[in-house]
Amino acid sequence: MDFREGQAIYLQIAEYVCEQILLKQWPLGSKIISIRDLAVAIEVNPNTVQRAYDFLQQHEIITNKRGVGYFIEANAIQLVIAFRKEQFIENELSIVFRNMYLLNISTEEIETRYKKFIEQNFKEKQS
């Protein structure tokens, strides 16, 4: 996993887990990878993964069944979407809008490029 500057690693790990849920790589109700195994896979300290899992548990996206492991909540997709949407609007959208204004990029151009991106990357979601 390549980590970005300017954001805590545990939050990036939490984002990774959320993406796996949204992409349906990790089905609702299923057990997720253990803290130790994820730490080894992405080459971080297990305490960092624990912090990410604690964060996700506080947001009720995953739950810990003592002695068994962590599981994805039944309503995790809705919670992830709501949380990520709020984060995007609060933290990133103003930067996008500023750049659109400064670079004179129209909403039509963004819409065209967005549609092309969806077609190229998420064909299976198209109906």
Side-chain angles (χ1 to χ4, degrees), residues 70-124:
Y70 287 89
F71 290 79
I72 300 170
E73 290 286 356
N75 62 340
I77 290 177
Q78 294 88 345
L79 293 171
V80 168
I81 289 172
F83 176 73
R84 299 263 320 255
K85 185 183 280 190
E86 179 183 329
Q87 291 297 105
F88 176 75
I89 289 170
E90 293 284 324
N91 300 324
E92 298 176 43
L93 196 55
S94 62
I95 296 167
V96 172
F97 287 159
R98 178 178 175 78
N99 284 323
M100 287 175 64
Y101 174 77
L102 292 173
L103 301 172
N104 196 28
I105 300 171
S106 69
T107 55
E108 292 80 13
E109 184 176 351
I110 295 294
E111 182 177 7
T112 300
R113 290 176 182 260
Y114 174 73
K115 287 178 180 177
K116 184 177 181 181
F117 172 82
I118 295 300
E119 288 172 8
Q120 290 175 343
N121 294 285
F122 299 102
K123 290 179 182 178
E124 69 279 356

Side-chain angles (χ1 to χ4, degrees), residues 11-53:
L11 290 175
Q12 293 178 59
I13 295 168
E15 282 183 4
Y16 168 78
V17 172
C18 289
E19 281 187 14
Q20 298 309 302
I21 294 168
L22 292 177
L23 293 171
K24 300 183 175 144
Q25 298 297 313
W26 296 0
L28 299 176
S30 68
K31 183 177 178 184
I32 62 174
I33 189 170
S34 72
I35 290 170
R36 185 173 297 128
D37 289 344
L38 184 56
V40 168
I42 62 174
E43 301 176 348
V44 298
N45 187 302
N47 292 332
T48 306
V49 176
Q50 176 69 59
R51 192 167 177 199
Y53 280 18

